[in-house]
Amino acid sequence: MCGIVGYVGPRQAPSVIMQGLKRLEYRGYDSAGIAVLVENGAIAIRRDVGKLKNLEAMLADSPLRGEIGIGHTRWATHGAPSQRNAHPHVAMNERVVVVHNGIVENYQRLRHELEAEGIVFRSDTDTEVIVQLLERYVESGMTLVQAAQNTFDQLEGSNAIVAMSVVEPDRLVTTRLGNAGGITLGLGEGEMFIASDIPAILEYTRDMVFLENRQMAVVTRDGYEVTTLGGEPVDPVVHAISWDPVSAVKGEYKHFMQKEIFEQPRALIDTLSGRVDFEQATISLPEMNLTPELVRGLRKIAIVACGTSYYGGLVGKYMIESLARIPVEVEYASEFRYYNPIIDEHSAVLSITQSGETADTLAATELARENGALLWSIVNVMGSQAMRAADGYILMKAGPEIGVASTKAFTTSMADLYMLACVLGEMRGTLRAEDIRRCADELNHLPHLAGRVLDHDPEYSQLADQFYRAENFLFLGRGINYPVAMEGALKLKEISYIHAEGYPAGEMKHGPIALIDERMPVVAVVTRDHLYDKMVSQVEQARARGGVVIALATEGDESIRSKADHVIYVPETPPLLAPIVNVMPLQLLSYHIAVRRGADVDQPRNLAKSVTVE
Ligand code: AGP
């Protein structure tokens, strides 16, 4: 998923664009580029393969000046990462230039038609058909807006595009087609900004407009106009973004991931605030638009998500079924969207998505809508597609999560799931007032427990010294801690590139135990709950086969010391909230191992922060 920035106004466009691209580099970093209309009115481009610093060096050697421009960081889909495939892309006569996020699914046909007309392509990308079409229409006498309407209407797939032309040098034209990563308009005084994500332009303005599917906008320094592709005027909502710009920078931390792990106590406080009244012992989620009648009419909840968010959904199943007694199915969004799910008007489909832009998750929610289900979302990015598509939503309020590896969004989403379970239980009558009081009290202590885990960070760092050379890891958990094992494995594999598997511990004897030997560290979540004895037995079985066991145990549990090679202690936590606390040492262990392996923690290879393509 790529990063896009556009600017028009009195400032020097290159500096605004480069600053914005830095904030978006987590979205993709195979190549980067910038195009500016320079003083003589021509399009000037600088672009290079690799990270943004390569483009910065190029601009230092060969600066650009101009007050309107577009920029891009790429996560390659069609066309290998290379200079010739790097965005921005100009058309044959260099009168139009574009940047693009998404996939033009019918680009081969369009390319053949254009080549048959004698147009010569310069790249292997799908993007180039967009700019060649635009230029063909502009050269036929159309305005840039008319050319855009004709071009964008021919494109199949999910795409976000920004175009600029020498013919109309005062404006940028942009569009959002399908569920591609969003297009955000930043409203300034005598200047306008375009970005694929809020952090890129937050330091310049908090007033933002989010384009909906099949909308386009013309942007000049005097303002903006939003229309449908057919030209119908649209009067969009202007959102005031509350995130502070500082939270979008690393500060004294070495990596965004490290910063965001340590922000979790604060993020938990923020996600609980205004929803849990600790004095009155009430829990309310006004944006969910729930009523007892609606909730009592529900026959099931389907949770759809990807990656870490999916593991949060697995934890949510335990919470909701335990407290509200509603059946919950948890499905990978990429699977759910392609089978014929049994959902109807008596179902609620809950998407969990940090970015609110994950293509598979958005497609799953569209299928849910088509089947008449109620749409809910737990989402971190205000104004994102998932939030705006939902009948009811809960903002994670975790603040910008820049590290590709999700951490604070995961823990806040589980706190949100717990609050949802409480509200559903109260409305269905499975929870009485004293139960809600207990739940509110447990939530009240949660940020403090999270902070205590972070105090032990030096221990996790020392443990990493012993294990960072391992080539395989096994993570085991049972019950509500099985998803914690899965998430611990995902964290390790995605940032350190160590092969790691998460497993329900009870499954070990059905095959995976054959893997265990002295070279296979085993992380076992053995905190106190009704499955503790079973987990201890699994730990003993692993050690009996030479496995090296790292046990995650509850403070005060001395007996586990004789059964495991290493023990990580976490504070005693109510079982339904334990995953929120238990995952944090695993986040830090993975982080320290990855750092020791010299891995690119915030921008792991082959990954992007939000996967807005299939
Ligand atoms: C998690 O560390 C990964 N970055 C990835 O699995 C992520 O959780 C997944 O792509 C879902 O993203 P979303 O929450 O923005 O939908």
Side-chain angles (χ1 to χ4, degrees):
M1 184 242 342
C2 308
I4 288 176
V5 179
Y7 175 74
V8 55
R11 306 175 204 247
Q12 275 305 308
S15 62
V16 173
I17 291 168
M18 290 304 286
Q19 189 60 19
L21 292 179
K22 277 183 196 151
R23 299 265 192 274
L24 293 180
E25 196 173 12
Y26 63 92
R27 289 171 67 102
Y29 27 87
D30 292 327
S31 62
I34 178 172
V36 174
L37 286 188
V38 293
E39 270 79 359
N40 69 7
I43 293 172
I45 291 181
R46 302 284 184 275
R47 62 187 190 180
D48 201 2
V49 69
K51 295 207 164 185
L52 205 53
K53 60 179 185 293
N54 298 351
L55 177 60
E56 280 181 314
M58 186 179 275
L59 281 165
D61 289 344
S62 172
L64 290 177
R65 288 187 58 76
E67 297 180 351
I68 180 171
I70 55 180
H72 186 272
T73 55
R74 182 172 186 238
W75 182 57
T77 52
H78 289 69
S82 64
Q83 189 159 52
R84 85 190 221 103
N85 290 331
H87 300 217
H89 286 281
V90 281
M92 199 166 69
N93 300 326
E94 302 200 358
R95 296 168 64 74
V96 183
V97 63
V98 299
V99 291
H100 163 233
N101 177 21
I103 295 177
V104 180
E105 292 177 358
N106 57 332
Y107 85 97
Q108 282 105 334
R109 175 176 63 77
L110 294 171
R111 178 165 177 149
H112 292 150
E113 289 171 2
L114 289 164
E115 285 174 327
E117 292 175 21
I119 288 174
V120 177
F121 279 70
R122 309 173 179 195
S123 78
D124 312 318
T125 67
D126 54 335
T127 306
E128 197 177 346
V129 298
I130 302 170
V131 71
Q132 297 290 8
L133 278 170
L134 283 166
E135 182 170 88
R136 186 181 67 165
Y137 289 124
V138 164
E139 306 234 296
S140 72
M142 288 186 191
T143 66
L144 185 57
V145 167
Q146 292 164 339
Q149 287 168 335
N150 283 276
T151 300
F152 299 157
D153 200 35
Q154 294 181 61
L155 308 181
E156 293 171 11
S158 290
N159 295 286
I161 302 162
V162 186
M164 180 171 73
S165 165
V166 300
V167 178
E168 294 171 85
D170 66 334
R171 61 198 52 211
L172 301 175
V173 172
T174 183
T175 190
R176 170 187 199 145
L177 305 171
N179 290 325
I183 285 285
T184 299
L185 307 183
L187 283 49
E189 296 293 323
E191 58 186 358
M192 283 292 295
F193 306 83
I194 299 174
S196 38
D197 209 348
I198 293 170
I201 53 179
L202 192 55
E203 67 186 275
Y204 303 105
T205 178
R206 292 179 184 281
D207 296 331
M208 304 206 187
V209 163
F210 306 104
L211 289 194
E212 303 273 355
N213 179 15
R214 299 192 71 73
Q215 287 183 350
M216 61 183 284
V218 184
V219 163
T220 68
R221 64 175 64 201
D222 302 323
Y224 66 100
E225 280 179 45
V226 177
T227 66
T228 63
L229 280 194
E232 295 298 312
V234 171
D235 183 16
V237 173
V238 177
H239 294 268
I241 303 301
S242 58
W243 286 352
D244 67 272
V246 172
S247 62
V249 294
K250 271 188 286 205
E252 77 272 15
Y253 291 96
K254 193 175 173 193
H255 298 98
F256 277 112
M257 181 184 180
Q258 184 189 32
K259 170 173 174 280
E260 289 150 12
I261 290 172
F262 279 85
E263 284 177 336
Q264 289 179 111
R266 174 76 256 170
L268 287 167
I269 290 169
D270 290 345
T271 205
L272 297 173
S273 70
R275 294 161 172 167
V276 184
D277 181 326
F278 299 112
E279 299 304 320
Q280 302 300 317
T282 58
I283 299 172
S284 61
L285 295 168
E287 303 95 344
M288 282 296 291
N289 300 316
L290 299 175
T291 64
E293 298 71 32
L294 180 146
V295 171
R296 289 203 178 99
L298 288 179
R299 296 206 185 109
K300 76 171 172 181
I301 296 170
I303 296 177
V304 295
C306 302
T308 289
S309 296
Y310 170 79
Y311 299 138
L314 290 176
V315 171
K317 172 183 172 71
Y318 285 95
M319 294 172 167
I320 295 170
E321 290 191 346
S322 169
L323 297 179
R325 307 306 294 160
I326 302 175
V328 177
E329 297 167 2
V330 188
E331 300 291 350
Y332 282 113
S334 55
E335 292 296 317
F336 184 88
R337 66 181 291 193
Y338 288 117
Y339 72 71
N340 186 12
I342 302 172
I343 49 174
D344 58 20
E345 66 279 7
H346 299 296
S347 313
V349 175
L350 167 63
S351 65
I352 302 175
T353 169
Q354 190 283 133
S355 62
E357 301 293 350
T358 301
D360 286 324
T361 303
L362 294 176
T365 53
E366 276 182 19
L367 177 62
R369 177 70 80 198
E370 288 160 15
N371 284 272
L374 201 54
L375 271 194
W376 296 338
S377 187
I378 295 177
V379 57
N380 194 36
V381 178
M382 175 186 264
S384 60
Q385 183 77 347
M387 176 190 136
R388 287 181 285 120
D391 299 308
Y393 63 86
I394 305 172
L395 279 175
M396 294 173 192
K397 297 186 186 177
E401 187 176 75
I402 309 297
V404 165
S406 186
T407 50
K408 61 181 182 175
F410 180 58
T411 45
T412 51
S413 69
M414 289 189 285
D416 296 339
L417 283 159
Y418 187 81
M419 288 190 283
L420 177 60
C422 293
V423 169
L424 294 173
E426 190 174 25
M427 289 188 175
R428 284 171 67 90
T430 55
L431 293 181
R432 298 154 305 175
E434 56 267 35
D435 298 314
I436 295 296
R437 175 170 295 282
R438 173 178 48 75
C439 294
D441 190 48
E442 288 172 355
L443 287 169
N444 189 24
H445 286 92
L446 187 59
H448 169 69
L449 298 177
R452 282 176 49 195
V453 170
L454 297 175
D455 293 343
H456 292 269
D457 182 43
E459 292 169 36
Y460 314 137
S461 178
Q462 286 160 14
L463 213 46
D465 285 336
Q466 299 184 53
F467 291 101
Y468 76 96
R469 294 187 187 86
E471 287 312 311
N472 295 283
F473 256 85
L474 203 52
F475 289 74
L476 303 180
R478 289 195 79 141
I480 200 169
N481 286 304
Y482 154 51
V484 175
M486 299 298 288
E487 169 61 7
L490 176 60
K491 284 285 105 32
L492 184 64
K493 74 180 89 171
E494 71 172 327
I495 62 175
S496 70
Y497 314 146
I498 292 175
H499 172 250
E501 280 194 77
Y503 246 91
E507 272 298 296
M508 285 307 294
K509 51 190 173 298
H510 300 287
I513 203 162
L515 289 171
I516 290 182
D517 61 23
E518 66 287 348
R519 289 164 300 138
M520 168 80 83
V522 179
V523 178
V525 183
V526 203
T527 47
R528 286 241 184 258
D529 62 19
H530 67 293
L531 293 167
Y532 173 79
D533 293 339
K534 302 291 181 193
M535 274 307 297
V536 169
S537 161
Q538 247 83 56
V539 166
E540 289 169 329
Q541 289 172 33
R543 283 201 88 199
R545 286 154 181 83
V548 178
V549 177
I550 302 167
L552 192 79
T554 303
E555 282 170 357
D557 178 357
E558 290 304 317
S559 66
I560 196 70
R561 289 185 186 281
S562 62
K563 300 180 170 63
D565 298 277
H566 306 276
V567 181
I568 293 173
Y569 282 110
V570 292
E572 179 143 23
T573 307
L576 287 179
L577 292 174
I580 298 170
V581 168
N582 291 350
V583 75
M584 292 171 67
L586 307 187
Q587 294 169 341
L588 284 166
L589 181 61
S590 300
Y591 169 75
H592 289 303
I593 286 174
V595 168
R596 277 160 184 72
R597 291 171 69 98
D600 196 339
V601 172
D602 283 335
Q603 298 165 6
R605 67 187 180 198
N606 310 334
L607 293 179
K609 181 59 183 170
S610 169
V611 184
T612 59
V613 293
E614 276 206 58

